[in-house]
Amino acid sequence: MTETAEQPVPRTRILADLTPLRSSPDYRRLWFGNTVSWIGQGMTALAVSLQVYDITGSAFSVGLIGLCSLVPLVLLGLYSGAVADTVDRRKLGLLSASGSFALSVGLAAVTFAGVEHVGLLYAVVALQSVCFALNSPARSSMIARLLPAEQLPSANALNAMTSTTGGLVGPMLGGLIVGWWGYRAAYTIDALTFTASLYAMWRLPSMLPDRAVGDKGAKRASVVDGLRFLGTRPNLRMTFFTDLSAMVLAQPRALFPVVAVVWFGGDAKTTGLLVAAPALGALLGSVFSGWLGQIRRHGLAVLVSVACWGMAIAVFGLTRQLWLGLILLALAGCADSISMVFRNTMLQAAVPDEMRGRLQGVFIVVVAGGPRLGDLLAGSVADLASPALAVTGGGIACVLVVCLLGLRWRAFARYDARDPQP
């Protein structure tokens, strides 16, 4: 008798899958450059806020920074996606990254010169947002060209780790550096970190959209055509509908200063903990994301994770124990990171290359505008009724809307990564 060799049983990964970093040197450089630059941008964002407050002594003036950042993202999001579907994405990414680098250098230079003018800081923030709006669709569209489809969930988990790490580590380092060495040091370090992103973009191959390859007469990509394409692709529309359900209906962050005092008897430190908890949960979700690559039903995973976000927020609105509230917010952040991984993967795998930039442009508008609408809705409901109703009611509404969306477009739950259908 001959013995039959046993097939090895694939191990279930727990920690993040690093296969994309090992298999593609281009992606590895891009990921490392983005990680370093995200941390630098987080440092600068906090430093600018602190400097604006030092100059004006006004919390309202600090709040205007967010408006200066939001408006270019919303106005340019769709157009920048069309640009990314027309030109060489490598050149667009390199040009926009160079613009961000120049702005960081300029910010450091004027600070060394002793110039302190809040209008100048607002202008730099707005121009940095313009550069980000141009860079993001180009960079996101590249990933599907650098990696095979089966590695996209792992790559998106690594990308989520980058943005979350930048959002957590960057402001902490920024506060320490400003406290120790001042604003000039923070802006200078940010400028230096951008060199990693510039180097990664420089080393990439040409990234012309597929429809433009070998066709120098290809017409400029149309925003309207991109929206028309999205309107006829129910699975892709659902990725945006589900995200809006979570970010608009169940976004409690605007109420954190209130609930920190009223519910938990805390202060500004308590507010900081509430703000950090979802980001920490998202980071942990990215670190322990190795198992996500084994999931094939991406649509179902999005529905479940968004529903989990809504349930965690709803229960958070009922608790008055700070430790439990922080755990629930961390769970919500983890669910959000999982949803983001699969939504991004669907946008990369199920969208033809010639449309990826425009769909990523829509993604920017949704990600930038959705949470702001959620802030407005939560604040309005809290003023008209109560914070508890705003938070718990919003969480319940999110779960109900996601369930209704899943029932209306049942094919979304059957979406299979092995046969991605938009």
Side-chain angles (χ1 to χ4, degrees), residues 86 98 119 143 200 269 311 391:
T86 302
S98 299
I143 296 175
K269 294 179 181 178
M311 287 187 288
V391 177

Side-chain angles (χ1 to χ4, degrees), residues 4 32 42 45 71 75 90 92 138 148 187 208 211 221 268 271 344 366 399:
T4 303
F32 178 77
V71 171
L75 293 181
R90 171 190 173 272
L92 179 60
Y187 298 146
L208 283 167
R211 73 187 182 97
T271 303
N344 280 337
V366 170
V399 175

Side-chain angles (χ1 to χ4, degrees), residues 17-107:
D17 183 6
L18 303 181
T19 302
L21 298 177
R22 291 192 294 265
S23 65
S24 172
D26 287 327
Y27 175 76
R28 182 168 61 248
R29 284 189 292 266
L30 190 64
W31 181 84
F32 178 77
N34 289 338
T35 300
V36 174
S37 62
W38 267 94
I39 294 174
Q41 290 172 70
M43 291 169 46
T44 292
L46 181 72
V48 168
S49 297
L50 292 173
Q51 190 171 13
V52 167
Y53 187 75
D54 280 348
I55 295 171
T56 66
S58 167
F60 176 76
S61 297
V62 176
L64 286 179
I65 297 173
L67 184 63
C68 293
S69 176
L70 174 64
V71 171
L73 285 177
V74 173
L75 293 181
L76 293 177
L78 296 178
Y79 177 75
S80 63
V83 174
D85 283 340
T86 302
V87 303
D88 185 342
R89 289 162 181 163
R90 171 190 173 272
K91 292 181 179 178
L92 179 60
L94 187 60
L95 178 64
S96 53
S98 299
S100 295
F101 171 71
L103 288 167
S104 296
V105 172
L107 193 56

Side-chain angles (χ1 to χ4, degrees), residues 29 41 45-46 49 123 126 131 181 200 229 234 258 262 284 293 328 330 354 356:
R29 284 189 292 266
Q41 290 172 70
L46 181 72
S49 297
C131 291
W181 301 304
F229 173 83
V258 176
V262 176
L284 292 174
L328 290 166
E354 67 183 47
R356 284 190 184 125

Side-chain angles (χ1 to χ4, degrees), residues 101-124:
F101 171 71
L103 288 167
S104 296
V105 172
L107 193 56
V110 297
T111 307
F112 271 103
V115 178
E116 290 189 351
H117 194 282
V118 68
L120 178 62
L121 294 175
Y122 288 154
V124 169

Side-chain angles (χ1 to χ4, degrees), residues 322-384:
L322 179 59
W323 65 269
L324 180 57
L326 294 175
I327 291 175
L328 290 166
L329 289 176
L331 290 174
C334 181
D336 183 50
S337 71
I338 293 173
S339 167
M340 183 170 62
V341 166
F342 290 118
R343 285 185 288 109
N344 280 337
T345 301
M346 292 174 72
L347 287 176
Q348 292 161 349
V351 177
D353 186 69
E354 67 183 47
M355 287 285 180
R356 284 190 184 125
R358 278 166 282 186
L359 270 293
Q360 290 295 332
V362 176
F363 181 81
I364 288 178
V365 174
V366 170
V367 169
R372 273 71 177 187
L373 292 175
D375 291 342
L376 177 62
L377 179 61
S380 301
V381 174
D383 280 346
L384 294 173

Side-chain angles (χ1 to χ4, degrees), residues 161-419:
M161 191 185 305
T162 290
S163 58
T164 308
T165 300
L168 281 174
V169 177
M172 288 190 296
L173 287 178
L176 292 174
I177 291 171
V178 169
W180 288 338
W181 301 304
Y183 299 114
R184 291 178 294 183
Y187 298 146
T188 301
I189 293 173
D190 180 29
L192 292 175
T193 61
F194 258 110
T195 59
S197 181
L198 287 173
Y199 175 74
M201 286 287 182
W202 181 265
R203 290 290 305 273
L204 288 174
S206 176
M207 289 276 181
L208 283 167
D210 276 347
R211 73 187 182 97
V213 174
D215 182 10
K216 296 182 180 180
K219 66 178 182 178
R220 180 176 296 277
S222 166
V223 173
V224 175
D225 287 344
L227 294 176
R228 187 179 294 117
F229 173 83
L230 179 60
T232 58
R233 304 303 192 274
N235 286 335
L236 298 179
R237 290 202 310 272
M238 277 287 287
T239 64
F240 297 113
F241 290 162
T242 52
D243 186 45
L244 287 172
S245 300
M247 294 299 101
V248 175
L249 298 176
Q251 178 56 266
R253 67 180 185 183
L255 304 180
F256 285 162
V258 176
V259 303
V261 176
V262 176
W263 292 359
F264 304 119
D267 51 17
K269 294 179 181 178
T270 307
T271 303
L273 290 174
L274 295 175
V275 171
L280 180 60
L283 179 59
L284 292 174
S286 301
V287 171
F288 296 98
S289 61
W291 56 279
L292 297 181
Q294 300 180 20
I295 295 178
R296 297 289 180 263
R297 301 281 292 277
H298 289 183
L300 181 61
V302 169
L303 292 173
V304 172
S305 55
V306 174
C308 288
W309 162 277
M311 287 187 288
I313 296 300
V315 179
F316 169 74
L318 300 175
T319 185
R320 298 299 179 266
Q321 297 292 325
L322 179 59
W323 65 269
L324 180 57
L326 294 175
I327 291 175
L328 290 166
L329 289 176
L331 290 174
C334 181
D336 183 50
S337 71
I338 293 173
S339 167
M340 183 170 62
V341 166
F342 290 118
R343 285 185 288 109
N344 280 337
T345 301
M346 292 174 72
L347 287 176
Q348 292 161 349
V351 177
D353 186 69
E354 67 183 47
M355 287 285 180
R356 284 190 184 125
R358 278 166 282 186
L359 270 293
Q360 290 295 332
V362 176
F363 181 81
I364 288 178
V365 174
V366 170
V367 169
R372 273 71 177 187
L373 292 175
D375 291 342
L376 177 62
L377 179 61
S380 301
V381 174
D383 280 346
L384 294 173
S386 69
L389 180 62
V391 177
T392 299
I396 294 173
C398 171
V399 175
L400 291 176
V401 169
V402 167
C403 290
L404 290 174
L405 288 172
L407 291 173
R408 172 62 180 83
W409 286 283
R410 296 173 185 268
F412 184 69
R414 297 193 296 270
Y415 177 95
D416 193 324
R418 293 166 294 189
D419 183 27

